[in-house]
């Protein structure tokens, strides 16, 4: 029984440029949000008191 499908994209050059731009924007957004989250964590972290 087939449970998944594999697709292979073959975009033309203009489509490849658009896809590359979208992936670049998504990566930058992810990294920006991750940096914000780490800055917040560092600013609000309290030391352990044993």
């Amino acid at each position: 029984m087939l449970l998944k499908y594999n697709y292979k994209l073959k975009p033309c050059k203009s489509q490849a440029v658009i896809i590359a731009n979208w992936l670049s924007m998504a990566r930058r957004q992810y990294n920006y949000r991750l940096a914000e989250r780490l800055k917040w964590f560092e600013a609000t972290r309290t030391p352990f008191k044993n």
Side-chain angles (χ1 to χ4, degrees), residues 1-2 7 12-13 20 24-27 29-30 33 35-40 43 47-49:
M1 177 169 46
L2 183 62
Y7 295 98
C12 65
K13 288 184 180 185
S24 175
M25 286 189 293
R27 185 177 60 249
Q29 182 70 13
Y30 176 82
R33 297 296 178 188
E36 278 188 336
R37 188 178 206 182
L38 291 173
K39 285 178 191 175
W40 174 84
F48 288 107
K49 295 180 183 179

Side-chain angles (χ1 to χ4, degrees), residues 14-38:
S14 63
Q15 291 171 330
V17 169
I18 292 169
I19 291 170
N21 286 339
W22 276 97
L23 291 175
S24 175
M25 286 189 293
R27 185 177 60 249
R28 288 178 186 167
Q29 182 70 13
Y30 176 82
N31 289 335
Y32 177 78
R33 297 296 178 188
L34 180 61
E36 278 188 336
R37 188 178 206 182
L38 291 173

